[in-house]
Amino acid sequence: MSQSEEGRFDGLLLGVAQQHTEGIVELLDTFFSFLRRKTDFYTGVESSKAEQLVLSVFRKHEKMARKETKTTSAKPKKQTQPVSTKPEPLLEPGAIEVTDEEAEKILKEEEQKKKSTTPVEKKEESKPEIKNGPSPKIKSNDDDEDDDDDDEDSKGKIKPNAGNGADMPNYRWTQNLQDVEIRVPTQLSFPIKSRDVIVDFQTKHLKVGIKGKDLIISGELYNKIKVEDCFWTLEDRNMIIIHLEKQNKMEWWSRIVTSDPEINTKKVQPENSKLSDLDDETRGMVEKMMYDQRQKELGRPTSEEQKKQDILKKFMEQHPEMDFSKAKIS
């Protein structure tokens, strides 16, 4: 194998090695774990042959390393210190010479270190996002006046976020009257592909997760959706974005699945929209409601009342012989 062929995976392997901050033992453990989980290296042949194969490859490169060390040390211009006949350790002095029992003990100690430090880091990172506990609502001084006006049905419910949804421990959702958007971070230290994502739409049920991991969302939806109009995308290979199309477009959802805490839909603040953005039927209804409201404020008849008066006036003109002085319009 030429030198260029031998080094064609250096970039990939260096990236893997840089992620193993605990040293050569952790790197070797990952490699042999891969052989165990993804190949028949240990079971396809006799265990003694597999061990001999590993030793033969090790000794081959050990000889090459010793030879390269001697060649380098033989050059007088680059000689700056006494030449050692032993190859320099990769990451930890003497790591290759540990026994199986010692290696297993080291791995256990490293795992315990990770377990003892990881929860603290996660807790610090998640403070701005995660809202756990029996009362996830964060109150401020501005909320005190609003709480006084809340009825019994609103107690214990979460105040909606800026998108009229909620920030949950594992995802964030927003909504308008027509649809719902859910943003689910993978919370993984490496990028994934679309084939790794699990999203299952049903009329009243939703599943979201990553293959090989526990489901992030799984449960009965707050209300029915139009499955044919729902879709999902993977953004930056670490964020799953889900679009749910509501069947009932005249209500606000208080939660995504029934196992989630509810938001207070009375505090939802819909965005202002232009009449020109509405369809003809909806725009006509809104314009009629605005006209009737304005007429009531001015003490004038609404559109329905005006229609009745016009009908009566026309009837009176057609029948002048009749007396309508005592007629009452309701």
Side-chain angles (χ1 to χ4, degrees):
M1 182 183 295
S2 66
Q3 187 173 0
S4 60
E5 291 179 344
E6 187 178 29
R8 67 184 186 275
F9 297 116
D10 284 358
L12 176 63
L13 294 174
L14 280 172
V16 174
Q18 288 172 355
Q19 296 185 43
H20 292 73
T21 57
E22 304 299 330
I24 190 65
V25 174
E26 184 185 16
L27 178 62
L28 290 174
D29 182 66
T30 298
F31 176 72
F32 284 104
S33 170
F34 170 78
L35 293 179
R36 171 177 57 81
R37 293 180 290 103
K38 300 297 183 179
T39 72
D40 61 350
F41 178 76
Y42 297 101
T43 59
V45 296
E46 295 179 5
S47 59
S48 59
K49 290 184 178 180
E51 185 177 2
Q52 289 175 5
L53 179 60
V54 173
L55 289 174
S56 66
V57 175
F58 169 78
R59 286 166 181 159
K60 169 187 171 183
H61 288 279
E62 182 186 30
K63 290 179 181 179
M64 293 173 65
R66 291 182 184 278
K67 184 177 179 181
E68 291 169 356
T69 302
K70 289 180 180 179
T71 303
T72 304
S73 61
K75 296 179 180 180
K77 291 183 179 181
K78 295 184 179 180
Q79 181 70 34
T80 58
Q81 60 182 6
V83 179
S84 173
T85 57
K86 296 182 180 180
E88 295 183 0
L90 295 179
L91 291 175
E92 297 181 16
I96 297 176
E97 298 179 0
V98 298
T99 63
D100 293 342
E101 294 179 355
E102 291 173 336
E104 185 177 355
K105 183 178 179 181
I106 292 172
L107 289 173
K108 288 182 179 179
E109 290 177 354
E110 298 300 334
E111 290 178 358
Q112 290 177 355
K113 287 181 181 179
K114 290 181 180 180
K115 290 179 180 179
S116 63
T117 57
T118 301
V120 176
E121 294 174 356
K122 287 186 176 179
K123 184 177 180 181
E124 291 176 353
E125 292 175 358
S126 59
K127 280 182 180 178
E129 294 290 337
I130 299 178
K131 304 174 182 177
N132 292 326
S135 180
K137 180 177 179 180
I138 300 177
K139 293 186 178 181
S140 65
N141 294 333
D142 296 336
D143 295 335
D144 293 340
E145 295 180 1
D146 295 339
D147 292 342
D148 294 336
D149 298 333
D150 289 347
D151 55 23
E152 292 295 327
D153 185 57
S154 300
K155 290 183 178 179
K157 293 184 178 180
I158 306 172
K159 183 179 180 180
N161 60 20
N164 295 320
D167 299 333
M168 307 304 296
N170 296 321
Y171 63 91
R172 181 178 190 273
W173 66 277
T174 57
Q175 66 172 324
N176 54 42
L177 285 174
Q178 289 76 34
D179 51 52
V180 176
E181 181 183 272
I182 310 172
R183 302 180 70 88
V184 186
T186 63
Q187 297 183 357
L188 298 175
S189 59
F190 53 88
I192 64 172
K193 296 183 179 180
S194 297
R195 62 170 177 257
D196 301 319
V197 178
I198 300 173
V199 177
D200 180 29
F201 296 116
Q202 296 183 23
T203 304
K204 199 77 190 302
H205 199 277
L206 177 66
K207 287 183 181 179
V208 181
I210 301 170
K211 291 180 180 178
K213 305 289 184 181
D214 293 336
L215 289 173
I216 301 172
I217 302 174
S218 179
E220 182 181 353
L221 290 168
Y222 173 81
N223 212 337
K224 295 180 179 180
I225 58 174
K226 294 182 178 180
V227 176
E228 65 276 10
D229 293 330
C230 297
F231 59 88
W232 64 272
T233 57
L234 181 61
E235 182 179 275
D236 297 331
R237 300 180 67 182
N238 61 10
M239 179 73 71
I240 306 169
I241 302 178
I242 300 161
H243 175 89
L244 302 179
E245 192 76 14
K246 298 178 181 178
Q247 283 196 17
N248 183 355
K249 298 182 181 296
M250 296 301 293
E251 72 170 346
W252 298 100
W253 285 20
S254 63
R255 52 189 169 186
I256 297 297
V257 292
T258 54
S259 58
D260 286 345
E262 290 186 282
I263 66 169
N264 187 355
T265 54
K266 293 181 180 180
K267 294 188 177 181
V268 164
Q269 297 180 353
E271 296 181 359
N272 294 327
S273 58
K274 299 178 182 178
L275 286 175
S276 57
D277 296 335
L278 304 175
D279 58 74
D280 294 339
E281 181 180 358
T282 306
R283 184 168 65 249
M285 292 175 60
V286 173
E287 289 175 343
K288 179 177 180 295
M289 292 171 62
M290 293 173 64
Y291 173 80
D292 289 344
Q293 181 65 29
R294 188 164 54 250
Q295 289 292 95
K296 285 183 178 180
E297 291 175 354
L298 297 173
R300 298 174 181 175
T302 64
S303 56
E304 289 295 325
E305 293 171 345
Q306 185 64 50
K307 185 177 180 180
K308 291 179 180 179
Q309 289 182 5
D310 292 342
I311 293 173
L312 178 60
K313 183 178 179 181
K314 186 176 181 180
F315 184 80
M316 291 171 63
E317 291 175 350
Q318 293 175 349
H319 301 277
E321 73 282 1
M322 298 181 65
D323 182 13
F324 294 93
S325 59
K326 297 183 180 180
K328 291 183 180 181
I329 309 286
S330 60

